[in-house]
Amino acid sequence: MTTTKKIKSALISVFSKEGLEPIVRKLHEQNVTIYSTGGTEEFINNLGIPVVPVEEVTSYPSILGGRVKTLHPKIFGGILNRQDNETDVQQMREFEIPQIDLVIVDLYPFEKTVASGANEPDIIEKIDIGGISLIRAAAKNFKDTVIVASVNEYAMLLELISSQNGETTLEQRRLLATKAFHVSSHYDTAIFNYFNTDESYFKTSIADGQILRYGENPHQKGFFFGEFDNMFTKLHGKELSYNNLLDVDAAVNLILEFKNNEPTFAILKHNNACGLATRKNIKDAYLAALSCDPTSAFGGVLIANSNIDLATAKEINSLFCEVVIAPEFDEEAVAILSEKKNRIILVQHAVELPQRQVRTCLNGLLVQDRNTITDSKENLKIVTNTSPTAQEIDDLLFASKICKNTKSNTIVFTKNSTLVASGTGQTSRVDALKQAIEKATTFGFDLKGAVMASDAFFPFPDCVEIAHNAGITAVIQPGGSIKDELSINFCNENKVAMVFTGTRHFKH
C-alpha cells in the first residue's frame, strides 16, 4: 500500500481560530469533508463552507457544558483505524464509522490561564480533555492520519496541502506526529506542575529552543531552550553562542545584586567579574570597572544597572567586547556601539528568573533552589574587638555580592565601591587569596584600607594573616569553622575588623 495519503476528510476542533480560515478554504476547494464542533463549527459555517456537526456522527449532543463533545467511538474509530487491517476495515463498515484523515486541534490555553492569575475553577476548566485525546489518537496513527496540534503548525499544513494537492507523505505525517506529541507532553507537564507539591518529583518542558553555532567548543553541538526574547531585546550583533549565553547568565545574576544601587557597571569574563564599580554616573562606573583588570576585560561581557548614554558608549567603543547589556540605551549610544559589526547589544527586561537551578550530573540531574540570599547590614555579626567603619561595612557588603557570584574557592577585595581584585576557582582559599593580591599588585592597586570577602569560612588564620600583611583592614566571611577563634584572635591582635554573615556562598 502506498505511503502517500490523500486527505478526504478532516475533523477540526480548535480554541484559537487565528490562521484557520485559509486552511478551511483550501480543504473545501479540495472537496474535503469537514467535521467540527461548537465554536469551530460556527466559525466554518460563517465562512459559508459546509461542515458536518460531530453530533450528526455520534448521535449525541455536546453535553456537560461542553466538557464532552468528541469523546465517542465513532470519532476515535475514524481516527485510529488501520487502513491496511482487514478487521478494522470490516468494523468501520459494520458500525458506520466515517474515515477521518486529518485532525486539527488547538488546545485550551491552560498555561496562559494560570499565568493570568485566574481562580482555580477557571484554571481547571482550561484543562483540555477531548483535544488532548484527539491529538494522541491521531499522532499514534500517523501511518494513516495527519495531525496538526497547534496554531504553530497551521502554516506548514497549508503549504503541504496547497503544494501537494491534499496529499501527505509518511515522513511528513511522522514529523507532524512528533510535533503533536511535543504539544501533548508539554501540556501535561504544565498541568502536573500546577498541581504538584511534592519536591521529590521534577518535570520540566520548554517549548522554545534554538540551535546554537556550537557548544563550549566547535566540536560540540549546542542548544538553548528558553524564552530569550522575553528577557532581552537584541538591538545589534551576531547570534549569541553557548559561551555568550553562559556569560550573559552570570552577568544578569551579578547585576541583580546591584539593581537598587547607584549606577553600577560590571565586566565579566568566563562567568566571573573582572571589573565592577558603583559611581554617581554610569560612565565613571564603567571606567572604574575597566581599571580593575583591563587585560581580562578584552572580549568580555559588559552589563550596567542603568541607562548607557553616549559618553559611556564612546568609552566602551574602544574596547573589544562580545556583549553589552543594559536596561536602556540612548539612541546615540546604540549608534556608536553598533559600529562594531559583531558586538551584541541587549536591552534587559525585568523578568523574574526561575527559582530552581538545574544541571546535569552523572546519569541524572541536580536541582537546587536559587541562592536568593544577599548579605545585608542586618545579617552581620561583628566578632572582633575592632568594629568596621561605615565605609568598610559598605565595601564588605559590596564585596560579598561579588563573592557570591564568583566561582569557588574565591577571595574578593573591594575598596570604595570598586572591585580591586579577586582570586577565582582555586583549589585552596590561600591560593585564591594570593592570586587576588598578585592581580591587585599587577594593576597598581593599593590594598591598604581595602576589605576582603570569602565565600566560605577560614579553617586556619593563614588567610587573614596574609591579607593583613597586604593591607586589608576588614573581612567578611560566613563563619562556622571549629577553629574560627584562631582567625578572630589574629584579627584582634592586629586590629582587623571581622564580621560573620552565617551564610556560605559556594558557587561550583
Side-chain angles (χ1 to χ4, degrees):
M1 181 177 288
T2 179
T3 61
T4 300
K5 300 283 184 178
K6 175 83 171 178
I7 297 172
K8 298 178 181 178
S9 58
L11 171 63
I12 306 176
S13 181
V14 300
F15 180 83
S16 173
K17 315 302 185 294
E18 184 179 350
L20 186 62
E21 181 178 344
I23 293 173
V24 172
R25 292 196 183 280
K26 179 57 68 174
L27 292 173
H28 176 58
E29 179 185 310
Q30 295 175 348
N31 298 315
V32 173
T33 301
I34 299 175
Y35 303 93
S36 192
T37 62
T40 309
E41 178 194 338
E42 182 181 355
F43 173 82
I44 297 170
N45 267 321
N46 289 339
L47 296 176
I49 293 173
V51 56
V52 180
V54 163
E55 291 91 328
E56 285 189 16
V57 178
T58 64
S59 299
Y60 267 90
S62 172
I63 62 173
L64 307 181
R67 282 189 164 195
V68 180
K69 297 188 285 286
T70 58
L71 294 169
H72 192 279
K74 281 198 170 184
I75 298 300
F76 282 84
I79 296 169
L80 281 164
N81 74 92
R82 294 157 293 188
Q83 295 178 21
D84 59 355
N85 182 290
E86 289 186 15
T87 302
D88 285 8
V89 172
Q90 181 181 348
Q91 289 183 341
M92 290 284 285
R93 286 197 298 264
E94 179 182 355
F95 297 109
E96 298 180 341
I97 299 173
Q99 178 69 44
I100 297 175
D101 302 315
L102 165 66
V103 175
I104 303 176
V105 175
D106 179 55
L107 298 170
Y108 292 158
F110 177 81
E111 287 181 279
K112 287 183 179 179
T113 305
V114 172
S116 73
N119 58 38
E120 182 150 290
D122 288 341
I123 290 171
I124 299 302
E125 287 307 309
K126 287 300 183 288
I127 298 177
D128 207 312
I129 304 300
I132 205 78
S133 301
L134 291 170
I135 288 172
R136 291 179 65 83
K140 175 179 179 176
N141 202 35
F142 70 89
K143 192 160 67 85
D144 292 316
T145 310
V146 180
I147 173 62
V148 172
S150 166
V151 170
N152 296 332
E153 316 311 332
Y154 283 6
M156 178 181 177
L157 174 65
L158 184 59
E159 169 62 22
L160 287 179
I161 60 177
S162 298
S163 62
Q164 298 174 186
N165 194 32
E167 292 188 343
T168 61
T169 66
L170 180 62
E171 292 76 15
Q172 290 164 347
R173 294 193 297 278
R174 187 183 184 94
L175 174 60
L176 285 167
T178 303
K179 292 175 178 289
F181 281 125
H182 168 65
V183 169
S184 66
S185 63
H186 180 81
Y187 197 77
D188 285 340
T189 298
I191 295 169
F192 169 79
N193 285 330
Y194 172 76
F195 283 100
N196 182 43
T197 58
D198 187 341
E199 292 186 348
S200 67
Y201 295 135
F202 175 75
K203 294 184 189 296
T204 188
S205 176
I206 302 175
D208 300 310
Q210 65 184 90
I211 300 173
L212 303 175
R213 296 197 302 274
Y214 50 80
E216 282 183 290
N217 300 290
H219 63 277
Q220 296 169 269
K221 290 183 179 179
F223 307 87
F224 174 71
F225 295 94
E227 297 177 331
F228 185 85
D229 291 343
N230 285 355
M231 284 201 66
F232 301 100
T233 297
K234 183 181 170 191
L235 302 180
H236 179 75
K238 63 183 179 181
E239 292 302 312
L240 279 90
S241 69
Y242 183 99
N243 292 332
N244 288 155
L245 289 166
L246 287 174
D247 284 331
V248 168
D249 176 71
V252 166
N253 281 283
L254 176 59
I255 209 69
L256 189 62
E257 306 283 349
F258 300 91
K259 67 176 182 178
N260 296 321
N261 286 49
E262 291 185 300
T264 300
F265 209 108
I267 305 172
L268 291 90
K269 193 73 172 289
H270 296 278
N271 304 166
N272 295 312
C274 59
L276 196 150
T278 297
R279 293 292 186 270
K280 293 296 182 183
N281 63 73
I282 203 66
K283 175 185 171 183
D284 288 347
Y286 167 70
L287 292 174
L290 180 63
S291 69
C292 174
D293 185 350
T295 301
S296 295
F298 182 86
V301 169
L302 282 56
I303 190 166
N305 70 347
S306 56
N307 178 63
I308 291 181
D309 55 22
L310 177 60
T312 309
K314 286 180 178 178
E315 296 290 347
I316 294 171
N317 202 38
S318 62
L319 173 72
F320 169 72
C321 57
E322 293 274 354
V323 186
V324 183
I325 310 167
E328 294 178 275
F329 292 83
D330 285 351
E331 285 187 25
E332 298 90 341
V334 174
I336 288 287
L337 294 173
S338 298
E339 290 177 0
K340 300 293 191 293
K341 178 182 176 181
N342 290 328
R343 180 182 285 149
I344 299 163
I345 305 173
L346 301 175
V347 176
Q348 182 182 349
H349 306 306
V351 174
E352 185 175 347
L353 296 172
Q355 293 306 300
R356 289 269 180 102
Q357 294 176 314
V358 183
R359 65 195 296 184
T360 58
C361 181
L362 302 176
N363 61 348
L365 300 174
L366 284 173
V367 182
Q368 69 169 353
D369 294 336
R370 176 177 292 279
N371 183 0
T372 57
I373 294 177
T374 297
D375 296 327
S376 65
K377 192 173 182 178
E378 293 72 29
N379 304 136
L380 302 184
K381 179 183 178 183
I382 300 172
V383 295
T384 51
N385 297 332
T386 300
S387 296
T389 65
Q391 179 62 55
E392 285 175 332
I393 288 176
D394 287 345
D395 283 338
L396 288 168
L397 293 173
F398 188 89
S400 173
K401 292 176 180 180
I402 301 171
C403 198
K404 169 186 168 182
N405 290 277
T406 305
K407 295 288 185 179
S408 300
N409 286 324
T410 186
I411 292 290
V412 170
F413 295 151
T414 63
K415 187 177 181 180
N416 299 325
S417 301
T418 306
L419 170 61
V420 174
S422 61
T424 67
Q426 300 303 303
T427 52
S428 81
R429 206 158 300 282
V430 172
D431 285 345
L433 173 57
K434 289 179 178 178
Q435 183 191 54
I437 292 171
E438 181 183 354
K439 292 197 78 171
T441 302
T442 298
F443 294 108
F445 284 100
D446 180 6
L447 288 177
K448 187 177 180 180
V451 306
M452 176 173 76
S454 172
D455 59 342
F457 62 64
F458 300 114
F460 304 103
D462 48 2
C463 278
V464 289
E465 181 178 356
I466 295 168
H468 165 66
N469 292 337
I472 298 299
T473 56
V475 178
I476 186 170
Q477 59 136 317
S481 170
I482 59 173
K483 296 182 179 180
D484 275 342
E485 286 302 318
L486 295 178
S487 296
I488 293 171
N489 290 340
F490 178 89
C491 289
N492 283 334
E493 291 167 6
N494 293 277
K495 295 183 172 53
V496 175
M498 180 180 284
V499 298
F500 285 3
T501 65
T503 302
R504 188 180 74 183
H505 290 298
F506 270 163
K507 187 183 180 191
H508 279 41

